[in-house]
Amino acid sequence: MNAAYLIVALPLAGALILLFGGRRITDPVSGWLATAMAAGSFVATVVVWATLLGRPSSSRSVDKTIFTWMPVGTLHVSFGLTLDPLSILWSLFVTGVGTLITMYSIGYMRGDPSFSRFFFYLNAFIFSMVILVLADNYLFSFLGWEGVGFCSYGLVGFWFDRDSAAVAAKKAFVTNRVGDFGFMVALYLMFAHFGSFNYSVVLAPLAAGHATIATSTATFIAVMLVLGAVAKSAQIPLYMWLPDAMEGPTPVSALIHAATMVTAGVYLIARTAPIIHFSPDAQWIIASIGAGTCFLAATIACVQDDIKRVLAYSTISQIGYMFLAEGSGDYQAGIYHTVMHAFFKALLFLAAGAVIHALHDEQNMKRMGNLRKYLPITFPAFIVGFLALAAIPPFDGFWSKDEVLAAAWHKSPVLWAFGVAAAGLTAYYMSRQVRLVFWGKSRWETAAADHGAAGDTGHSAAGDTGHSVAGDTGHGSVGESGHGSGAPHEAPWTMTVPLVILAVASTFGWLLNADFGGLDFINKWLAPIFPSTVATPFTVSTDTKWVLGIVATAFSLTGLALGMGLWRKAVSRPALEPAFLAHAWYIDEGIAAAVSGPLARMATRFSFVVDATWVDGLVNGVARSAAGAGRQLRRVQTGYVRNYALAIGIGTVIVLFYVSVRAGS
Amino acid sequence: MSIALLASNLVAAGTPASTTTTVAKNCTVAPGGTKVVGLCTSANSLHISVAYRSIAPMLILAIGALVLLAVSAVLPKRPRVGLYPALTSAIGGLALLAAVLQWFDGAAKAGTVEIGGQIFYDRFSVLLLILISIAVILSSLASDGYLRREGLDGVEAYVLMLMSATGAMLMAEAGGLIMLFLGLEIMSISLYVMAAFHRRRTQSGEAGLKYFILGSFSSALFLYGVALVYGATGSTQFTQIASYLAGNVPANTGVLLAGMALLIVGLGFKVAAVPFHFWTPDVYQGSPTPFTGFMAAVAKAAGFAGLLRVLTQALGTQQADWKPIVWLLAVLTLGVGAVMAIAQKDLKRMLAYSSISQAGYVLLGVQAATTQGSSAALFYLFTYTFIVIGTFAVVDVVQGKGEARTDLGAIRGLARRNPLLGAAMLVLLLAQAGVPFTSGFLAKFYVIQASVDQGQYYLAVIAMLAAAVAAFFYLRVGLLIYQAPDEAEAPVSTPGGGDGVFLAGLEPVPSLDGNVATAVLQAPPSGRIRVPGATALVIGVSVLFTIAAGVSSFAIDFAKAAYSLL
């Protein structure tokens, strides 16, 4: 079990070496170092997993305390790792997918002037993420939570010389602060109620059925944690940052904004299941957020023109499914979908990255086309990812989405309806994407010729808000000079190997939790985490499942047929790309208007009236009086020994006077 | 010295001596127990057996100092580079080893007095002995680069350092007021010379002189306090004083309280508590930089050891009398230290005021007068030793030859000139500001907690406010480290330094506003800073300890173990 320390230590070591080695560690070396560290972490996770597997399922939870930070009265804040099926499952795919993406980045980031800074962030991210997942208490988890937020900030704004990247990074950060507020309030509540942050103290008695908790308390804690989860996992109402976060390099989008960090909210909810169990309201809130988000984001994804933004909205939508499953009480289904999603979404992003790479940083799908002839490995890989995401049997997405929808049906047919509609839309927008990218005419040739005018107008009509032109023109001058320098080329092997591995995983990964033949490994593995005292078991009859599965598949196939048919030759269909959706329901603009309108006026008033006179007055007053006090005190500090001696003498006399008064009384 | 030992021991034993008594063969005691004639053998109860193990670290340092002198006499005038610091740190290492052995030995001997009751041999002492040994090792290593750069290398500095540490150890182990005074003097006299060590800098000589004059003044007050306490209680030994006060009401409370007040003044001077702090900025600024770090760590630790012994152990029954005094001292120290530090333009001077402010927190622990408070104070001193020696070591390499640049401008852009050094300084500054995950945070946390547990909410709030004020100047320096100096900026010469500069009277006060303050800063020197290996080691160890003790509780457990066995 001591391998558990390595899970955490290796990425940390990698990050530190890269941080302090700085520019001395050159181009490919830092990439390989980071990959080796991530891979080592993955191997260590596998070792721990195997060890746990060798134990009876009832004793598969081990707490390993690393050190105690500060013992204060009854509160012992210790930093330790909890090794149980849930945390190990998460770190398996975090480190596994993380390794592949780090390796992929070696090719993708080649030649970037800040090459080693990038890999520092990647290793630091993996470290923070495994801390988040493996921590044995909420406070330590929160540190990891903040750590991934920081790394995400650094990576979204990696090309900080681009305004849009810097703005997107700030947006992501600020949005996440809202969620962090919720998390912190939940921490206070938890401490007030349980007197501890440790999972073993807070959750274990509840999970074992030894303790109960008042519904109102449970609801309050759960809702506050869900606020945190919603921000990190980009759900309604705090999803706006994720599409903008696509400003980061594509491997980052794959690692952080698709496969791992955004699932932190899903993890948090699953971890907190024993508390949520006592709050039906919270369950409904989670399920409704999930259903609403998966539908809303799917509609928006239908009209995006940026290859990565489509995938970003699809990520939001898919995480909605995970929330839906968790809110419906079927945590295993949600986690199953999380793992499958990590495979196929990482695959799609990396394949999209290969496309972008091939076209020298072109991201607008309307300037792509016909790429299937040029990218012999990327193309089939992308298609596999597409089929998995569109939930076409027998690929990954079909199986996990099926279980999610069955759980939703059990909770409420309305939730199920949202989910199924979103499934249809998913198949549609993904078909549109592959048609635009891989079929049709090779528009990149003409696009290269008249890049300036046509390209920009096409973009401003299509892209949604806050997304400037800079996003498409790529980083630096590479994009510009690269255009027209020949046909698109396939990526180097460091990029294609991860694609192939992930494609295989997206095709056969579902066998990890198949609903038949005793193949439901994930369900069995997670069973000790979600006993009946945590998630009330329910069964959906096989017949119902068949019907639900057939209906959902019918929706998916319809969406697929529509998408493939409508976008076979067409490049633009204004009727199907309403501005309403292109602008993401005007939600961002609405917020922007509200913020820049009345809110901004209020802020102005505050800053010029309240702040200037009151707050600044107070602060300046303190500063002025401190300065004044300093000035007066300095008068005493003359530098003359006689004055010093006199001052000490006066002090002595005062003390003596005091004691004489005391002695006299 | 042996006469004094015996005399106080006799008095302590409360021998009713109206006439000359022959206690044993060849051993007579004059009336009042003031005069001992003859040789007292082991046959009688007055025999003092010297438990060498209890004073082993002190002996190692003292003998080491003599050995060092002897070695220098037989060696050629310019011995191998780094020989003396290596020997000094080896001696310090031996003392540390001895102290660590004492730690385990002392566990069984909790609260025992040795050598006729003059030496306290318990973990409280031993923890401080460990601290002082570490300070010797770190400071001797940090001084090497400085002394060679300034052309002052030789054996003298190291001998003084060892002697001063010997005195500090004696203070830490003192079982009575006489030993405390002896330790104080041994330590201080060496420190006076150390302050004046840089012969060619007038500031250094001035610092030594000021320290000496004011130090003598405070020693006199302290000694008068000893006399008064002796007069009131009939003993100079802590345990005897305590047991006397527990059983009797002094005939004249005024004498006792006046003595107590003077002891507080004398020790308050050593720990630089306001209003007895006036020497601190001038001396810290004028002294050779690595010695300043040593002074801040060792003199403070020894002074607080004395204060804790006197107040909580000897005068524990008079809590109601001294708590308000210490309360006031703590508040003044916290406030004046923080406010004055803001106004400084000189790095060393700012750190001097910062060290005053830090002493305020330790006073918080003393004021609590509980086991918890005392162990928190010990913990504070322990962490501060590393922080302050490390900080002054960084300042030393930044200031350059002749201590040319100790103004705040010199540290600007430090991260550019040496990223690791900049990061180290940042960590040390954050620790002093009390940022979580540094030892400084836990240290502040525990003293404030001790205060709160005693219901001292006002004091706790004041301490936290002072920390907020102090954060300003620590963070400002932290910011400067990472501020790139303007390329086009021409070096601006500003007249003078800070306040009270060297008999020159008043100086214009710099603005508090950060921008203006930056504008008047001199441009930093350029070029990469090279750090001597030994100094780099000291800084590295300090930073590592600061972080390690900040993220885990091992150091506080250590401090708690020290005090619970008192």
Side-chain angles (χ1 to χ4, degrees):
Chain A
M1 301 304 276
N2 288 330
Y5 296 124
L6 283 180
I7 305 176
V8 180
L10 287 175
L12 176 65
L16 289 178
I17 293 170
L18 290 170
L19 178 65
F20 287 110
R23 302 212 173 113
R24 264 166 285 175
I25 305 175
T26 47
D27 203 321
V29 180
S30 55
W32 284 111
L33 176 79
T35 311
M37 291 302 173
S41 183
F42 175 66
V43 171
T45 316
V46 171
V47 170
V48 174
W49 170 72
T51 319
L52 284 183
L53 204 59
R55 298 180 171 208
S57 67
S58 54
S59 60
R60 278 184 192 152
S61 179
V62 180
D63 280 348
K64 281 196 141 349
T65 303
I66 303 174
F67 59 81
T68 306
W69 182 39
M70 37 186 253
V72 183
T74 55
L75 173 63
H76 284 256
V77 180
S78 60
F79 290 151
L81 306 179
T82 190
L83 311 170
D84 67 1
L86 184 63
S87 65
I88 288 302
L89 179 69
W90 232 273
S91 29
L92 272 175
F93 77 79
V94 165
T95 53
V97 174
T99 306
L100 292 177
I101 291 172
T102 313
M103 176 180 170
Y104 172 95
S105 307
I106 298 171
Y108 192 86
M109 298 303 290
R110 193 173 51 204
D112 194 280
S114 303
F115 191 80
S116 62
R117 180 164 60 97
F118 183 82
F119 287 95
F120 156 69
Y121 276 127
L122 282 193
N123 260 351
F125 170 77
I126 293 175
F127 167 69
S128 306
M129 191 71 198
V130 290
I131 288 289
L132 193 167
V133 173
L134 290 173
D136 71 348
N137 65 70
Y138 279 101
L139 194 65
F140 198 21
S141 246
F142 186 64
L143 282 184
W145 185 271
E146 292 292 296
V148 294
F150 165 74
C151 294
S152 163
Y153 172 78
L155 284 167
V156 172
F158 186 73
W159 290 313
F160 52 80
D161 41 357
R162 290 171 16 183
D163 269 354
S164 52
V167 169
K170 261 187 267 174
K171 189 172 181 178
F173 199 73
V174 171
T175 315
N176 270 298
R177 295 312 302 174
V178 179
D180 293 344
F181 159 77
F183 201 137
M184 282 189 272
V185 172
L187 284 179
Y188 300 143
L189 287 170
M190 210 176 284
F191 183 64
H193 192 265
F194 299 100
S196 174
F197 299 119
N198 278 33
Y199 297 146
S200 55
V201 178
V202 175
L203 300 175
L206 293 175
H210 297 323
T212 55
I213 169 173
T215 311
S216 54
T217 316
T219 306
F220 206 8
I221 294 178
V223 166
M224 284 296 145
L225 280 176
V226 167
L227 181 60
V230 155
K232 192 68 77 193
S233 293
Q235 298 291 289
I236 292 173
L238 297 174
Y239 65 87
M240 293 84 69
W241 65 270
L242 186 62
D244 288 357
M246 294 299 129
E247 284 295 339
T250 307
V252 171
S253 310
L255 176 63
I256 298 186
H257 304 117
T260 57
M261 184 187 86
V262 289
T263 66
V266 181
Y267 170 79
L268 186 69
I269 291 176
R271 180 56 83 191
T272 316
I275 294 178
I276 294 172
H277 177 67
F278 287 91
S279 170
D281 290 346
Q283 291 168 23
W284 268 104
I285 289 170
I286 296 167
S288 311
I289 288 173
T293 310
C294 77
F295 179 74
L296 176 84
T299 60
I300 301 170
C302 290
V303 299
Q304 296 301 315
D305 286 345
D306 184 315
I307 186 169
K308 280 173 71 182
R309 284 177 92 82
V310 172
L311 295 176
Y313 278 110
S314 123
T315 301
I316 299 174
S317 171
Q318 296 301 309
I319 296 169
Y321 280 110
M322 301 166 203
F323 272 57
L324 176 58
E326 294 191 321
S328 305
D330 192 347
Y331 291 98
Q332 279 102 324
I335 293 165
Y336 182 25
H337 197 56
T338 307
V339 179
M340 297 304 111
H341 177 256
F343 293 152
F344 62 69
K345 189 53 65 67
L347 168 63
L348 281 170
F349 263 111
L350 295 188
V355 168
I356 294 167
H357 187 79
L359 293 178
H360 305 286
D361 298 317
E362 178 60 74
Q363 295 194 10
N364 190 336
M365 298 190 296
K366 305 230 157 151
R367 294 205 287 266
M368 295 180 179
N370 204 24
L371 287 175
R372 66 180 192 281
K373 305 230 171 85
Y374 299 92
L375 305 175
I377 302 170
T378 307
F379 169 63
F382 200 101
I383 293 299
V384 169
F386 150 59
L387 293 173
L389 173 56
I392 306 300
F395 293 94
D396 282 1
F398 167 75
W399 303 94
S400 55
K401 200 178 279 184
D402 214 31
E403 288 202 13
V404 172
L405 289 175
W409 172 265
H410 177 262
K411 185 85 175 166
S412 157
V414 179
L415 296 175
W416 174 81
F418 272 97
V420 166
L425 289 170
T426 306
Y428 165 76
Y429 67 69
M430 284 312 294
S431 314
R432 171 174 174 269
Q433 181 171 51
V434 295
R435 276 298 198 199
L436 284 174
V437 174
F438 293 102
W439 274 278
K441 286 187 187 138
S442 352
R443 293 180 298 278
W444 35 270
E445 283 166 340
T446 51
D450 54 6
H451 186 257
D456 281 2
T457 43
H459 175 258
S460 60
D464 68 41
T465 53
H467 183 58
S468 76
V469 182
D472 282 45
T473 46
H475 51 102
S477 56
V478 187
E480 297 300 326
S481 58
H483 272 297
S485 61
H489 55 90
E490 187 57 277
W493 70 271
T494 48
M495 287 168 70
T496 50
V497 166
L499 283 182
V500 173
I501 296 174
L502 285 169
V504 172
S506 299
T507 314
F508 300 105
W510 59 276
L511 288 166
L512 289 174
N513 201 28
D515 209 5
F516 53 83
L519 287 174
D520 52 342
F521 297 116
I522 293 181
N523 280 353
K524 277 190 230 153
W525 175 247
L526 290 174
I529 299 285
F530 304 110
S532 59
T533 43
V534 169
T536 317
F538 59 86
T539 44
V540 179
S541 69
T542 317
D543 293 347
T544 320
K545 271 194 183 168
W546 272 103
V547 175
L548 293 177
I550 288 167
V551 172
T553 311
F555 264 85
S556 295
L557 287 172
T558 313
L560 181 101
L562 276 174
M564 292 306 249
L566 288 169
W567 296 93
R568 200 160 73 88
K569 291 252 169 65
V571 179
S572 171
R573 283 182 182 275
L576 289 174
E577 298 175 328
F580 176 69
L581 290 181
H583 286 267
W585 294 41
Y586 289 105
I587 291 170
D588 234 11
E589 277 100 332
I591 292 170
V595 170
S596 64
L599 252 174
R601 274 198 296 281
M602 199 171 77
T604 313
R605 181 154 307 154
F606 266 105
S607 75
F608 285 109
V609 183
V610 179
D611 194 52
T613 51
W614 299 353
V615 180
D616 275 6
L618 192 68
V619 171
N620 290 343
V622 169
R624 213 170 291 135
S625 50
R631 210 169 295 137
Q632 298 307 317
L633 284 168
R634 287 160 72 101
R635 256 178 238 288
V636 186
Q637 195 78 31
T638 53
Y640 292 109
V641 176
R642 56 172 184 271
N643 291 1
Y644 292 177
L646 181 66
I648 293 172
I650 292 173
T652 313
V653 168
I654 292 171
V655 176
L656 283 173
F657 177 74
Y658 166 79
V659 293
S660 68
V661 170
R662 263 198 85 82
S665 63
Chain B
M1 188 164 136
S2 68
I3 302 294
L5 274 173
L6 285 166
S8 67
N9 193 43
L10 275 173
V11 173
T15 317
S18 54
T19 56
T20 302
T21 343
T22 302
V23 184
K25 192 182 167 192
N26 295 332
C27 179
T28 47
V29 181
T34 48
K35 201 177 167 200
V36 183
V37 182
L39 191 69
C40 298
T41 65
S42 60
N44 66 65
S45 62
L46 288 173
H47 169 71
I48 294 162
S49 66
V50 178
Y52 287 102
R53 65 166 66 180
S54 68
I55 53 167
M58 212 187 311
L59 283 176
I60 291 171
L61 290 191
I63 295 170
L66 298 176
V67 168
L68 215 54
L69 275 177
V71 166
S72 76
V74 298
L75 282 181
K77 193 159 191 312
R78 292 216 162 253
R80 281 187 56 170
V81 166
L83 174 72
Y84 295 139
L87 276 178
T88 313
S89 53
I91 293 166
L94 270 180
L96 178 64
L97 183 69
V100 169
L101 291 175
Q102 281 185 328
W103 175 265
F104 296 108
D105 184 43
K109 303 204 170 206
T112 42
V113 283
E114 297 280 0
I115 317 189
Q118 295 304 329
I119 292 294
F120 254 118
Y121 186 43
D122 57 14
R123 281 194 170 177
F124 175 88
S125 311
V126 174
L127 185 77
L128 285 156
L129 299 189
I130 291 175
L131 184 160
I132 293 164
S133 311
I134 291 172
V136 167
I137 299 171
L138 292 179
S139 294
S140 60
L141 292 175
S143 304
D144 179 44
Y146 176 89
L147 293 171
R148 276 197 279 138
R149 190 184 64 211
E150 306 291 335
L152 295 169
D153 46 339
V155 76
E156 300 86 354
Y158 300 103
V159 173
L160 286 169
M161 195 178 276
L162 289 173
M163 285 318 296
S164 150
T166 310
M169 284 188 170
L170 185 55
M171 282 179 83
E173 289 202 282
L177 292 168
I178 299 295
M179 281 299 117
L180 192 57
F181 180 73
L182 274 176
L184 189 83
E185 286 301 292
I186 296 173
M187 177 184 80
S188 299
I189 290 169
S190 310
L191 284 181
Y192 303 149
V193 184
M194 283 169 79
F197 201 77
H198 200 313
R199 294 184 291 271
R200 289 182 300 282
R201 282 184 79 230
T202 44
Q203 289 99 320
S204 182
E206 187 180 323
L209 194 64
K210 277 182 175 169
Y211 196 14
F212 172 61
I213 296 173
L214 295 169
S216 313
F217 184 42
S218 78
S219 292
L221 292 173
F222 180 83
L223 203 54
Y224 193 21
V226 174
L228 291 179
V229 170
Y230 173 65
T233 62
S235 174
T236 56
Q237 268 183 271
F238 299 139
T239 46
Q240 307 286 347
I241 295 172
S243 59
Y244 176 80
L245 289 176
N248 313 281
V249 178
N252 191 341
T253 331
V255 173
L256 175 67
L257 291 188
M260 176 192 80
L262 291 173
L263 291 182
I264 292 177
V265 171
L267 291 167
F269 177 89
K270 282 293 158 214
V271 303
V274 179
F276 316 113
H277 70 288
F278 289 96
W279 59 277
T280 316
D282 294 9
V283 172
Y284 277 26
Q285 190 180 3
S287 302
T289 311
F291 295 172
T292 312
F294 178 76
M295 213 181 275
V298 169
K300 216 161 268 226
F304 271 112
L307 207 55
L308 281 168
R309 288 274 198 217
V310 169
L311 293 181
T312 59
Q313 209 163 20
L315 299 170
T317 49
Q318 313 302 115
Q319 274 186 24
D321 295 316
W322 60 257
K323 269 187 141 182
I325 300 176
V326 179
W327 191 94
L328 188 68
L329 289 187
V331 169
L332 286 174
T333 308
L334 287 167
V336 171
V339 168
M340 291 293 285
I342 290 182
Q344 301 308 318
K345 282 192 295 186
D346 185 280
L347 206 51
K348 281 172 78 178
R349 211 169 170 79
M350 190 209 87
L351 288 170
Y353 280 110
S354 134
S355 91
I356 294 175
S357 180
Q358 305 283 348
Y361 291 97
V362 189
L363 282 173
L364 233 65
V366 177
Q367 203 272 346
T370 52
T371 310
Q372 196 191 9
S374 305
S375 64
L378 276 186
F379 179 63
Y380 207 109
L381 292 168
F382 205 87
T383 56
Y384 189 62
T385 300
F386 286 90
I387 293 173
V388 78
I389 293 178
T391 309
F392 278 104
V394 176
V395 172
D396 174 37
V397 285
V398 171
Q399 66 188 358
K401 193 169 166 54
E403 305 206 11
R405 295 296 305 271
T406 59
D407 56 295
L408 280 180
I411 206 159
R412 234 162 111 208
L414 178 61
R416 282 261 164 112
R417 300 174 62 201
N418 189 331
L420 273 176
L421 194 63
M425 185 65 169
L426 185 68
V427 170
L428 293 169
L429 287 168
L430 291 178
Q432 293 181 65
V435 171
F437 298 111
T438 61
S439 58
F441 169 74
L442 289 182
K444 282 193 173 56
F445 183 89
Y446 285 116
V447 288
I448 290 174
Q449 194 201 13
S451 225
V452 167
D453 282 356
Q454 287 301 300
Q456 300 283 353
Y457 298 109
Y458 290 115
L459 195 54
V461 168
I462 291 167
M464 285 184 242
L465 286 177
V469 173
F472 171 78
F473 59 82
Y474 292 124
L475 295 183
R476 184 178 61 177
V477 177
L479 210 63
L480 285 174
I481 292 173
Y482 284 90
Q483 202 178 57
D486 210 345
E487 298 294 334
E489 190 178 3
V492 191
S493 67
T494 42
D499 50 82
V501 173
F502 310 116
L503 314 170
L506 286 168
E507 281 291 330
V509 181
S511 167
L512 263 184
D513 182 39
N515 296 326
V516 181
T518 310
V520 299
L521 288 178
Q522 293 186 46
S526 55
R528 194 177 159 80
I529 295 183
R530 293 180 59 82
V531 186
T535 312
L537 181 70
V538 171
I539 297 170
V541 168
S542 308
V543 169
L544 284 181
F545 180 84
T546 301
I547 294 172
V551 295
S552 110
S553 61
F554 77 88
I556 182 70
D557 294 338
F558 189 48
K560 278 182 180 160
Y563 215 86
S564 61
L565 288 161
L566 184 68

